[in-house]
Amino acid sequence: METTKFADDFTVDELISVCIARQIANGELIVQGLATPLVMAGYILAKLTHAPDVLFASAIGQSLCRGWAPPSLSHAEAMWLDKALITFGFTRVATELLPRFRPKEFFRPAQVDPYGNTNNVFIGQDYHRPRLRLPGSGGIADVTTYGDQAYLYVPRHSRIVFVERLDFRSGLGHHPARKRGRGPRYLVSDLGQFDFEGPEGRMRLVTLHPGVTLRRVQRKTGFPLEVAPDLHETPPPTAEEVHLLREVVDPLGIRRLELLSGQARRQMLREILARESGGA
Amino acid sequence: METTKFADDFTVDELISVCIARQIANGELIVQGLATPLVMAGYILAKLTHAPDVLFASAIGQSLCRGWAPPSLSHAEAMWLDKALITFGFTRVATELLPRFRPKEFFRPAQVDPYGNTNNVFIGQDYHRPRLRLPGSGGIADVTTYGDQAYLYVPRHSRIVFVERLDFRSGLGHHPARKRGRGPRYLVSDLGQFDFEGPEGRMRLVTLHPGVTLRRVQRKTGFPLEVAPDLHETPPPTAEEVHLLREVVDPLGIRRLELLSGQARRQMLREILARESGGA
Amino acid sequence: MMATGERDGQTPPSEGGAGASPGDKRISLAEAAALVQEGDTLALGGLTLYRRPVAFVRALLRRPDPPRHLTLLALTAGFESDLLVGAGLVERVRTCYFGLEVFGLAPMFTQAAGEGRLTIVEETEASIAFGLRATLAGVSFMPGLGWLGTEMLSVRPDVKVVQDPYGEGEYVAFPAIACDVAVLHALRADREGNAVLGGNLGIDQELAMAARRVIVTAEEVVERLDEPLDLAGLVVDGVVPAPRGAWPTSCYPFYPLDGEALLRYVEACPVHFADYLDAWLRGDDE
Amino acid sequence: MMATGERDGQTPPSEGGAGASPGDKRISLAEAAALVQEGDTLALGGLTLYRRPVAFVRALLRRPDPPRHLTLLALTAGFESDLLVGAGLVERVRTCYFGLEVFGLAPMFTQAAGEGRLTIVEETEASIAFGLRATLAGVSFMPGLGWLGTEMLSVRPDVKVVQDPYGEGEYVAFPAIACDVAVLHALRADREGNAVLGGNLGIDQELAMAARRVIVTAEEVVERLDEPLDLAGLVVDGVVPAPRGAWPTSCYPFYPLDGEALLRYVEACPVHFADYLDAWLRGDDE
């Protein structure tokens, strides 16, 4: 048996995508929401490595796909329309596919509390005059209340995201009000991997990404952290995984946008757009 | 202006189809249920004469069609699939199209009472041991409770069909229990045409088909008949209408099956099947 | 089927087809027929005389121990369903139309119903359509227009009426419909169960999503379909090559309805049903 | 539109488009924009940055008297909706996502919401999908899974919870969603309003059936479409030729998303929105 060759260098976006990929089992139906390129990169990587038979579904196109195409800013529909096996429309997805099949999906919360409850609606004290209005909950306030395949990711771990109390609970975690399904199973951030096996479904640090200290994670988390007894280092990406991500899965590096904001993100958007229109 | 040329000879199936055609207005969406070739002939005739812009929908195919094809026993789907503009599937038809658009449809009841309530479920006194179990109500128990475009036809007028009291009310007429919509507007049989403008929505004879007497209609109806003050003769088919029915709309005469039963119907089915497989 | 973990619905989708992981789900007609168990709700796709899974029904009737006490579910039921009733496999019928269209009444259904030997769960288009949508949505009912003012509720004492929470009126709460095995006949399928049904969809797509197990019989089974699909293999447990598998019902545009065969049936039945069935199971009529 | 007599629904389909009988429903963008009235619920088809009716929005904003107090309805709202909010036409927003995906927050929506100048009818995918299905079914609600346990109900006091009539639990009764005018952008349409939308359907088909009036803008308007349709002209009141009518959002496969145009917008707003809008209405950016 060959020994796994770990990558000599990798970036945190690559590590997050690899962590996402490793949560995917072969044969699963996996769903991608809007504006989640780290997830898309992870899904495609899974397909190209250990999970060749996954089926993709997406908010864009509302189709099921066996095939894939690299993420694109300008041609986001390409994968979902050209590779569609069957198209449902959003009404059937929301009222039939999601409640019937309860597929695995990775969500990016704007706030998450110790129990994996999440908020994507607003930041502030007053819903009617929010400090920051967010885009809205999409389908998170639906599927997290009945599904059991909610996975979370946080590209920029901070006390702004990980809070003791949410300003608004739009995604249901491990919460006493739950009637159906179960709270999130997993969370990956740029600092480590977490499960929710703490007391009453509390978030628990399971692995630290290479070079990250427990102290740093705790400092950047707005509530006391549970830590798994066998806390260890996140297995780094393999050389093959990094190669695939960079050269095959997402050569434009669209996944990296999720780690940037403001001027830096706009700068990178411009670079990617230029490369796309230059005919990548 | 040309004077209308009435047909010298016509059969009762032709007259019924013509009466149905004349109830169709241009531009309407008209729906055909299962096993109703007299209705199909009438619809197509309407399209070829005064209502070129009707849109057809049908239980078979669940499509909308602008074009048409002659009725067929062996290739019933041909019209509905080859000419489909758009296909809905039965679930969307029953839960969206019918309640939203409430289109015009002709129903054939096994029993009809003086108020246009109808029965297609069973004949007899006991639902659990019926004298004759019928195929079922299809969608009649749905659309007649909320729509206002129910039209009825009875190819063989008799006291078995027109009864004072139904054995089971599966289609809602002009009935005090009605909450939405309205009862049937019109009925055509092999003896005459009727509306429901009598007291409390009672069925009312409006025209007698050529050669039919009021006395004969009354004798064949199981309840006292209301009669319109201006009772007159049904305008006969025009020469053009008869020509179209025989030569263009339904050259195999499939509409005639609805006037036959038992051995006579099977005989005619065999003749039509032979002509269809012989390559009409 | 797919591996998406546990489900909490009343009627969870099936947990693993013959082939388990996505891959080759091809099985024989006999293997498909063996999936139906005593007391199951068996749904048959297609419409009345069109694209019915007749070859599957024959395989079911050929079983040495045909399953009994079935609940037969179909939007409309025709020849294939009448055979199952005549052969005594069916205890309950859920359909809004059971007949042979212009070919007449369904003789064995008519006889069994007249003798009180069938439990009929009286349905309409709306009750079946909303009932399946309720199952897919994971709720116990869907409210819809229909039935109020008719006598439908008197023969469906299990069906409740709910108050409009936003107004004065009331609606029928069409209950969720569960299904153990759904069998659909396709024009083409691939070995993963992806399928093309043609335009006359009926309720096939909803049945395939609602049923615990799904069998697709197909005129032709290919390696891989890449045309637009009507059914995703995701929900399919078994794929059966069954050329002329809808005969004597039609499989448009491949072959027409065989009206002569239907006439032979209605002329034989109900009196000579047993002889008809014997001959039909031997394949004399094929 | 079609002449099927009176209807008793809360939100009856429209009673006759610009062209009355089926036939030529072609109108200009200005005529289409004139159909929207003060206080209307205006639905915009497409998804976030994809196939949005942007040319229509420009025509609406170019009206000398743009209608105000609109309720904006969209599954997801993006650039085109942000312009309407920034220009002060929108009083209420019904959507489950208002933003520009990886291009960032929608600046004018974010600002207006922060200042308390918008009424937000907080929605989710399920509440919009079930709400439209309720409208189509002619009922006041559809029960569905979702929301329970979250704080959604606290910001939607109009939404009720109903008891499961067949069990112990409860469901959210997602209320029917009414719509005055729906505007959809199509790849191709014909003069009767038949249209091809492409595969990214969103909720366009349901909006078209739910709305009192429907406008289709299309990259190309032909005499008669005979390919398989996504939308039947039956429900369409006006057809508008609008080449590049989705720009800067995409119209796959005809043209891509214009990311540079979106970046110019997010960099100008909210501070320089007025200048941006002036230039955009003049067509400087076309």
Side-chain angles (χ1 to χ4, degrees):
Chain A
M1 191 181 136
E2 270 187 289
T3 47
T4 305
K5 184 170 171 299
F6 290 109
D8 296 327
D9 77 305
F10 56 88
T11 55
V12 69
D13 57 279
E14 288 158 356
L15 181 58
I16 295 175
S17 287
V18 165
C19 286
I20 289 172
R22 290 172 182 170
Q23 293 300 314
I24 307 303
N26 195 20
E28 284 187 315
L29 172 63
I30 44 182
V31 176
Q32 190 208 11
L34 293 174
T36 53
L38 278 167
V39 175
M40 194 66 250
Y43 286 179
I44 297 170
L45 181 62
K47 180 161 201 95
L48 296 183
T49 55
H50 63 283
D53 298 319
V54 290
L55 269 182
F56 302 115
S58 166
I60 300 175
Q62 308 104 53
S63 54
L64 294 185
C65 301
R66 180 162 52 197
W68 64 279
S72 164
L73 291 181
S74 312
H75 301 89
E77 302 98 321
M79 164 158 176
W80 304 108
L81 302 191
D82 295 350
K83 309 287 181 185
L85 290 174
I86 184 166
T87 292
F88 291 97
F90 226 117
T91 307
R92 289 191 69 198
V93 167
T95 63
E96 302 179 7
L97 256 78
L98 295 177
R100 188 62 179 156
F101 296 124
R102 307 182 182 188
K104 185 175 287 183
E105 182 167 357
F106 274 81
F107 301 109
R108 186 182 63 242
Q111 288 185 328
V112 55
D113 78 6
Y115 301 96
N117 300 292
T118 61
N119 174 19
N120 284 324
V121 169
F122 77 98
I123 306 291
Q125 296 314 305
D126 181 359
Y127 175 72
H128 299 288
R129 281 201 73 119
R131 189 147 52 78
L132 180 64
R133 171 69 207 193
L134 301 168
S137 80
I140 302 177
D142 305 322
V143 297
T144 58
T145 70
Y146 60 78
D148 61 1
Q149 294 276 327
Y151 286 63
L152 303 175
Y153 75 109
V154 176
R156 287 171 284 166
H157 197 125
S158 77
R159 298 175 80 93
I160 294 174
V161 176
F162 292 91
V163 295
E164 183 67 51
R165 281 183 60 86
L166 302 174
D167 290 330
F168 185 82
R169 186 169 68 253
S170 62
L172 189 61
H174 299 270
H175 192 281
R178 173 177 292 282
K179 309 268 195 245
R180 304 174 176 94
R182 56 161 285 177
R185 294 171 176 274
Y186 172 88
L187 185 149
V188 59
S189 77
D190 51 331
L191 301 184
Q193 296 184 100
F194 305 80
D195 65 19
F196 292 85
E197 302 296 323
E200 296 168 20
R202 247 185 114 89
M203 195 174 103
R204 203 176 66 155
L205 179 62
V206 177
T207 76
L208 289 163
H209 290 339
V212 176
T213 62
L214 170 57
R215 190 153 163 274
R216 179 155 164 237
V217 183
Q218 181 58 79
R219 210 178 54 231
K220 295 196 138 211
T221 302
F223 49 81
L225 264 181
E226 302 284 326
V227 179
D230 61 338
L231 177 69
H232 55 283
E233 189 180 83
T234 308
T238 65
E240 172 69 3
E241 284 168 335
V242 169
H243 164 74
L244 285 170
L245 279 172
R246 291 182 190 173
E247 307 298 329
V248 181
V249 171
D250 180 22
L252 294 169
I254 292 177
R255 65 191 178 279
R256 279 181 221 136
L257 289 167
E258 290 201 69
L259 281 84
L260 304 174
S261 64
Q263 182 55 35
R265 181 187 283 202
R266 288 197 294 274
Q267 178 56 34
M268 189 177 168
L269 282 165
R270 285 218 153 83
E271 288 166 18
I272 295 169
L273 290 168
R275 289 175 66 187
E276 285 190 351
S277 67
Chain B
M1 188 179 140
E2 270 186 290
T3 50
T4 305
K5 185 171 171 297
F6 291 109
D8 296 328
D9 77 305
F10 57 88
T11 56
V12 70
D13 58 280
E14 288 158 357
L15 181 59
I16 294 175
S17 286
V18 165
C19 286
I20 288 173
R22 290 173 182 170
Q23 294 299 314
I24 307 303
N26 196 20
E28 284 187 315
L29 171 63
I30 44 183
V31 176
Q32 191 207 8
L34 293 174
T36 53
L38 277 167
V39 174
M40 194 66 251
Y43 286 179
I44 297 171
L45 181 62
K47 181 163 200 92
L48 295 183
T49 55
H50 63 284
D53 299 317
V54 289
L55 268 182
F56 302 115
S58 167
I60 300 175
Q62 309 104 52
S63 54
L64 295 185
C65 301
R66 182 163 52 196
W68 64 280
S72 165
L73 291 181
S74 312
H75 301 90
E77 301 98 319
M79 165 157 173
W80 304 108
L81 302 192
D82 295 349
K83 309 286 180 186
L85 289 175
I86 183 166
T87 292
F88 292 97
F90 227 116
T91 307
R92 289 191 69 197
V93 167
T95 63
E96 301 178 8
L97 256 76
L98 296 176
R100 187 61 180 158
F101 296 124
R102 306 183 181 187
K104 185 177 288 184
E105 181 166 0
F106 275 80
F107 302 109
R108 185 182 64 242
Q111 289 185 327
V112 56
D113 78 6
Y115 301 96
N117 301 292
T118 62
N119 174 20
N120 285 324
V121 169
F122 78 99
I123 306 292
Q125 295 313 305
D126 181 358
Y127 174 73
H128 300 287
R129 281 200 73 121
R131 188 146 53 76
L132 179 65
R133 171 68 208 195
L134 301 167
S137 80
I140 301 178
D142 305 321
V143 298
T144 59
T145 71
Y146 61 77
D148 61 359
Q149 295 276 327
Y151 286 62
L152 303 175
Y153 75 110
V154 175
R156 288 170 284 167
H157 196 124
S158 78
R159 299 174 80 92
I160 294 172
V161 176
F162 292 92
V163 295
E164 184 67 49
R165 282 183 60 88
L166 302 174
D167 291 331
F168 185 81
R169 187 170 66 253
S170 63
L172 189 62
H174 300 270
H175 191 283
R178 172 177 292 282
K179 308 265 194 245
R180 304 174 175 94
R182 54 160 287 175
R185 295 171 175 273
Y186 172 88
L187 185 150
V188 59
S189 77
D190 51 332
L191 300 183
Q193 296 183 100
F194 305 80
D195 65 19
F196 292 84
E197 302 294 324
E200 295 168 20
R202 248 184 113 88
M203 196 174 103
R204 202 176 66 155
L205 179 63
V206 176
T207 76
L208 289 162
H209 291 340
V212 176
T213 62
L214 172 56
R215 193 155 160 273
R216 180 157 161 237
V217 183
Q218 181 59 79
R219 210 178 54 232
K220 296 196 134 209
T221 303
F223 49 80
L225 264 181
E226 302 285 325
V227 180
D230 62 337
L231 178 68
H232 55 283
E233 189 180 83
T234 309
T238 66
E240 173 68 3
E241 285 167 334
V242 170
H243 163 74
L244 284 170
L245 279 172
R246 292 181 190 173
E247 308 297 331
V248 180
V249 171
D250 179 22
L252 295 169
I254 291 176
R255 65 192 177 278
R256 279 181 219 134
L257 290 167
E258 289 201 69
L259 282 84
L260 303 175
S261 64
Q263 182 54 36
R265 182 188 282 202
R266 289 197 294 273
Q267 178 57 35
M268 189 175 168
L269 281 165
R270 286 217 154 81
E271 289 166 18
I272 294 169
L273 289 168
R275 289 175 65 187
E276 285 189 352
S277 66
Chain C
M1 215 189 60
M2 58 189 199
T4 54
E6 313 87 59
R7 293 179 195 83
D8 70 2
Q10 310 148 271
T11 56
S14 53
E15 294 294 344
S21 80
D24 199 339
K25 297 177 182 169
R26 283 175 298 182
I27 56 176
S28 70
L29 266 177
E31 287 170 316
L35 294 173
V36 181
Q37 299 183 344
E38 197 96 350
D40 272 358
T41 291
L42 170 66
L44 300 179
L47 219 66
T48 340
L49 306 177
Y50 317 102
R51 204 171 45 74
R52 306 316 296 258
V54 181
F56 173 86
V57 166
R58 192 189 304 241
L60 194 63
L61 289 167
R62 278 177 175 163
R63 270 175 56 172
D65 59 336
R68 303 177 74 86
H69 308 297
L70 298 180
T71 294
L72 179 72
L73 170 65
L75 179 65
T76 62
F79 169 76
E80 74 302 322
S81 299
D82 207 49
L83 286 173
L84 290 173
V85 169
L89 275 61
V90 178
E91 181 174 305
R92 300 202 312 160
V93 167
R94 301 191 80 156
T95 183
C96 73
Y97 176 95
F98 202 138
L100 303 176
E101 299 196 2
V102 294
F103 294 87
L105 298 173
M108 305 315 294
F109 165 73
T110 308
Q111 184 186 59
E115 294 172 0
R117 290 188 282 105
L118 277 180
T119 298
I120 296 176
V121 183
E122 204 68 42
E123 301 278 5
T124 63
E125 293 169 8
S127 65
I128 291 176
F130 282 116
L132 288 173
R133 281 198 167 176
T135 298
L136 302 188
V139 298
S140 67
F141 77 104
M142 284 286 168
L145 300 185
W147 288 29
L148 296 179
T150 73
E151 292 179 294
M152 287 294 294
L153 286 166
S154 73
V155 296
R156 285 294 303 274
D158 59 311
V159 174
K160 304 194 191 235
V161 167
V162 291
Q163 293 300 310
D164 176 354
Y166 298 104
E168 295 301 304
E170 46 187 31
Y171 304 119
V172 173
F174 293 114
I177 295 177
C179 176
D180 296 300
V181 180
V183 188
L184 314 173
H185 189 67
L187 306 192
R188 276 180 297 286
D190 68 20
R191 56 186 202 167
E192 291 180 14
N194 299 300
V196 175
L197 299 174
N200 194 11
L201 291 172
I203 55 169
D204 284 11
Q205 292 177 318
E206 288 78 11
L207 285 177
M209 286 180 64
R212 285 199 306 114
R213 284 173 178 274
V214 176
I215 297 160
V216 170
T217 65
E219 292 295 318
E220 186 189 12
V221 177
V222 301
E223 274 296 295
R224 177 161 278 205
L225 279 176
D226 275 313
E227 61 194 305
L229 302 174
D230 296 310
L231 205 67
L234 180 70
V235 300
V236 174
D237 299 278
V239 180
V240 182
R244 288 189 69 76
W247 177 89
T249 73
S250 68
C251 190
Y252 192 84
F254 292 162
Y255 46 89
L257 179 69
D258 186 343
E260 275 293 342
L262 286 178
L263 283 170
R264 285 196 296 277
Y265 180 70
V266 297
E267 287 175 342
C269 297
V271 178
H272 302 293
F273 176 79
D275 295 341
Y276 181 95
L277 184 64
D278 281 351
W280 193 75
L281 292 182
R282 283 196 310 271
D284 293 0
D285 206 11
E286 277 175 291
Chain D
M1 215 188 59
M2 60 189 199
T4 55
E6 310 87 58
R7 294 177 196 85
D8 70 1
Q10 309 148 270
T11 55
S14 54
E15 295 292 347
S21 79
D24 199 340
K25 296 177 182 168
R26 282 175 298 183
I27 56 176
S28 69
L29 266 178
E31 287 169 316
L35 293 173
V36 182
Q37 298 184 344
E38 197 96 350
D40 271 359
T41 292
L42 170 64
L44 300 179
L47 219 67
T48 341
L49 306 177
Y50 316 102
R51 204 170 46 70
R52 308 315 297 258
V54 182
F56 172 87
V57 166
R58 192 190 303 243
L60 194 64
L61 289 168
R62 278 177 175 163
R63 269 174 55 172
D65 58 336
R68 303 177 75 88
H69 308 296
L70 299 180
T71 294
L72 180 72
L73 170 64
L75 179 65
T76 61
F79 170 75
E80 73 304 322
S81 299
D82 207 50
L83 285 173
L84 291 174
V85 169
L89 274 61
V90 178
E91 182 174 307
R92 300 202 313 159
V93 167
R94 301 191 80 155
T95 183
C96 72
Y97 177 95
F98 202 137
L100 302 177
E101 299 196 1
V102 293
F103 294 87
L105 298 174
M108 304 316 293
F109 165 73
T110 308
Q111 185 185 58
E115 294 173 0
R117 289 188 283 106
L118 278 181
T119 299
I120 297 177
V121 183
E122 203 69 42
E123 301 278 5
T124 62
E125 293 169 6
S127 66
I128 291 177
F130 282 116
L132 288 173
R133 282 200 166 173
T135 298
L136 302 187
V139 298
S140 68
F141 77 104
M142 284 287 168
L145 300 186
W147 288 29
L148 296 179
T150 73
E151 291 180 294
M152 287 294 294
L153 286 166
S154 72
V155 296
R156 284 296 302 275
D158 60 310
V159 174
K160 303 192 193 241
V161 167
V162 291
Q163 293 300 310
D164 177 354
Y166 297 103
E168 295 300 304
E170 45 187 31
Y171 303 120
V172 174
F174 294 114
I177 295 177
C179 176
D180 296 300
V181 180
V183 188
L184 314 173
H185 188 66
L187 306 192
R188 277 179 296 286
D190 68 19
R191 55 187 204 167
E192 291 179 15
N194 300 300
V196 175
L197 299 174
N200 194 10
L201 291 171
I203 55 169
D204 284 11
Q205 293 178 318
E206 288 78 12
L207 285 176
M209 286 181 66
R212 285 199 307 113
R213 283 172 179 275
V214 176
I215 296 161
V216 170
T217 65
E219 292 294 319
E220 186 189 13
V221 177
V222 301
E223 274 298 292
R224 177 161 281 205
L225 279 177
D226 276 313
E227 62 195 303
L229 301 175
D230 297 308
L231 204 66
L234 180 70
V235 301
V236 174
D237 298 279
V239 180
V240 182
R244 290 189 69 75
W247 176 88
T249 72
S250 68
C251 190
Y252 192 84
F254 292 162
Y255 46 89
L257 179 69
D258 186 342
E260 275 292 344
L262 287 178
L263 282 171
R264 285 196 296 276
Y265 180 70
V266 298
E267 287 177 343
C269 297
V271 179
H272 302 293
F273 176 78
D275 294 340
Y276 182 95
L277 184 64
D278 281 350
W280 193 74
L281 291 182
R282 283 196 310 269
D284 293 1
D285 207 11
E286 276 174 293

